[in-house]
Each structure stands twice: as C-alpha cells, then as structure tokens.
C-alpha cells in the first residue's frame, strides 16, 4: 500500500467568472439533492460552487472491508473502479456500462464516519486534464460512449472558454483558454468548480471530516498497490478475470500491469 501523503496532492487551481448564469447553479443544486441525504449536508449550507465540491464518488466496500470507502474524484476512474465494487457487491462484473450506472447508487456517495477509513485515488493533474479534454471537449471515450455524448455539457464548456463546440480547439489551445479564464477570475474569488464538476480539485471532491485514517493511492502506481488491496478485499484471480471486464479495462481482466491477465494479482517490481 502506498503511504499517505499531503492531502493537497494534485489539487487544481480554482477560480471562475462571476458572470455564470443561473442554469449552472440550478444544475449543481439538482445534482446535489440526489445525494444530499447520504452526505448528511444540507444544500443551503453551501454556496452554489460549494455544491459541486461533493461529487467525487465514495464507493463503500462490502465485507470484509465494509469500514472502508474508496473515494474516486471525477476523471480518476470512477467507472473503472466502480466495476470492481460492482463485482464485489453483486458477485460479478457489470453486464454493461448501463448496468454499472444503474446499480452504482447502491454503494456510492457513502457518508464517512469516524469509524471509517478512506482510500483516495489520486491522479496526475496533467493526465486528468487531458482526460477531461478528450472526453468532454473532443468527445472521445476510451470505452463505451457514456460521458462523451452530452452535447449540453460540451456547449457550456465552449461558451465559457470561448470556442466553437463543433470545432474543438487543439489541446494546447484549450489549456491556454482555460488558464486565461482561471487566472483572470481567480482574483475575483469565484470558483472554477461551478463551471463543471470535473474542474473541482481532487481534494475538495472527497470532502469528509471524521475519517479514522486516510491513504492516498496514486493511480499511476496501481501496479504497486493493487495486489495488496485485492488481498485485503479477499479477491481471487478468478474474481478478476473474464471477458465482461473488457468494457471497463480493455482487457479480459480487471487489471494487469504486464498485459498478461495471469499477472492480475502479482505486484510490479518496477517503481
């Protein structure tokens, strides 16, 4: 298991225009109301932007890890790791992305108590930004199409960053536009999280106050910690192999660092 490190790891700069229209605020409230009961936070306690900061996924493991919540910030692999939790809760990987999303609320958005431990999956912020660009700007999904076909979301990003949604800019130009917007409005005390929940920092997305302990799992180092996680969860190699995994991992197993699914539970020797 990788050791815990500073909770500010890979946090994104926040700051956004003060001229956002009411539609974004209303959408944030609608989304928040879906999970407010589980989070035990009243929406009136938060600003419009504050509502967005609660949208990291909080996947609760079944026994023997029922005191553990896996927190997945947006763009850090919520469907990928969701497929693992689905398998643990329901006895096998999802039949499809639709099946995954339908049953995900069963174990998602868990309230974190003082008896719980949190494992937070952190991702390199540059890779995270590129992932957002490919999915939400270009419309290129690695697996399936969910999340790539939201035209309203694409239009919102184009509107506030100043480009034509039907002709998305190259990644370098997208970064320039985003940087300009953040730097221009950061001083105004606004929050980029209100523009789109995928711009929320990895830290703020996993907000909790009373966890027993926190462990950070670097996504880029999964080869070093996944075998330990699987052992703690009581997973066997056969639980993690089969063609149904391909929709979520691209291989006939949940995870392999070597490209060979027979190595699914073998830790990597590389740093």
């Amino acid at each position: 298991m990788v050791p815990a490190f500073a909770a500010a790891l890979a946090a994104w700069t926040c700051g956004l225009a003060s001229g956002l229209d009411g539609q974004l605020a209303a959408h944030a409230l609608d989304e928040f109301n879906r999970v407010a009961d589980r989070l035990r936070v009243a929406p009136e306690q938060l600003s419009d932007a504050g509502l967005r900061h609660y949208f990291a996924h909080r996947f609760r493991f079944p026994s023997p890890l029922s005191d553990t919540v896996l927190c997945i910030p947006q763009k850090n692999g919520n469907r990928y790791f969701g497929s693992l939790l689905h398998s643990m809760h329901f006895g096998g990987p999802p039949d499809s992305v639709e099946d995954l999303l339908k049953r995900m609320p069963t174990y998602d958005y868990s309230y974190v108590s003082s008896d719980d431990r949190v494992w937070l999956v952190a991702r390199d912020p540059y890779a995270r930004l590129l992932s957002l660009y490919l999915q939400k700007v270009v419309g290129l999904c690695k697996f399936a199409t969910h999340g790539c076909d939201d035209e309203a979301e694409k239009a919102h990003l184009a509107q506030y960053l100043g480009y034509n949604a039907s002709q998305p800019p190259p990644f370098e130009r997208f970064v320039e536009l985003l940087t300009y917007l953040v730097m221009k409005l950061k001083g105004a005390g606004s929050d980029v999280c209100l523009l789109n929940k995928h711009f929320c920092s990895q830290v703020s997305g996993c907000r909790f106050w009373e966890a027993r302990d926190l462990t950070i799992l670097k996504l880029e180092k999964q080869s070093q910690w996944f075998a330990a996680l699987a052992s703690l969860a009581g997973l066997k190699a056969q639980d993690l192999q089969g063609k149904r995994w391909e929709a979520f991992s691209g291989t006939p197993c949940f995870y392999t660092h070597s490209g060979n699914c027979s190595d699914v539970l073998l830790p990597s020797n590389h740093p």
Side-chain angles (χ1 to χ4, degrees), residues 18-264:
S18 57
L20 291 172
D21 62 25
Q23 281 186 317
L24 288 174
H27 183 56
L29 180 58
D30 287 343
E31 288 192 301
F32 182 85
N33 282 334
R34 290 190 296 105
V35 297
D37 288 343
R38 295 192 182 195
L39 297 179
R40 303 184 191 178
V41 178
E44 58 267 20
Q45 293 177 301
L46 302 167
S47 65
D48 291 333
L51 299 178
R52 290 283 189 184
H53 284 288
Y54 282 83
F55 283 99
H57 293 268
R58 296 170 186 80
F59 296 153
R60 184 171 294 278
F61 285 93
S63 180
L65 291 175
S66 55
D67 63 346
T68 304
V69 173
L70 184 67
C71 185
I72 314 290
Q74 296 289 336
K75 304 312 302 173
N76 287 20
N78 66 80
R79 290 180 199 164
Y80 172 64
F81 288 105
S83 69
L84 178 66
L85 270 290
H86 181 110
S87 180
M88 294 175 66
H89 278 278
F90 301 115
D95 293 326
S96 63
V97 175
E98 290 83 358
D99 182 35
L100 170 70
L101 297 178
K102 179 180 179 180
R103 296 206 268 181
M104 186 179 283
T106 303
Y107 52 83
D108 197 4
Y109 293 120
S110 300
Y111 175 75
V112 177
S113 75
S114 58
D115 295 323
D116 291 326
R117 53 185 174 182
V118 174
W119 296 344
L120 190 159
V121 175
R123 186 179 189 182
D124 183 284
Y126 298 104
R128 190 174 179 233
L129 182 60
L130 177 59
S131 176
L132 181 145
Y133 168 80
L134 292 174
Q135 184 180 35
K136 304 298 181 181
V137 178
V138 177
L140 177 63
C141 272
K142 187 174 182 180
F143 307 114
T145 60
H146 290 274
C148 293
D149 50 8
D150 190 334
E151 297 303 324
E153 187 172 40
K154 291 179 184 177
H156 276 307
L157 285 173
Q159 176 185 354
Y160 293 110
L161 291 179
Y163 61 85
N164 186 337
S166 63
Q167 296 178 317
F171 180 63
E172 292 82 358
R173 179 57 178 161
F174 171 76
V175 173
E176 290 176 356
L177 293 171
L178 179 61
T179 301
Y180 175 76
L181 181 61
V182 171
M183 296 304 294
K184 178 181 178 182
L185 300 162
K186 182 179 178 182
S190 298
D191 192 339
V192 72
C193 196
L194 183 56
L195 172 64
N196 188 289
K197 62 189 176 185
H198 297 89
F199 286 112
C200 299
S201 77
Q202 298 182 64
V203 174
S204 70
C206 288
R207 281 185 174 179
F208 53 86
W209 293 267
E210 299 181 318
R212 174 159 51 100
D213 60 59
L214 169 66
T215 297
I216 306 296
L217 305 174
K218 295 182 70 174
L219 186 60
E220 292 77 14
K221 300 289 186 180
Q222 185 176 350
S223 63
Q224 297 179 24
W225 54 257
F226 180 71
L229 184 153
S231 177
L232 289 171
L235 293 169
K236 308 298 183 184
Q238 58 266 30
D239 300 325
L240 301 168
Q241 296 172 338
K243 292 187 68 65
R244 287 164 66 188
W245 288 112
E246 290 185 354
F248 305 96
S249 67
T251 64
C253 56
F254 172 72
Y255 174 71
T256 169
H257 60 80
S258 67
N260 186 340
C261 285
S262 64
D263 295 339
V264 64

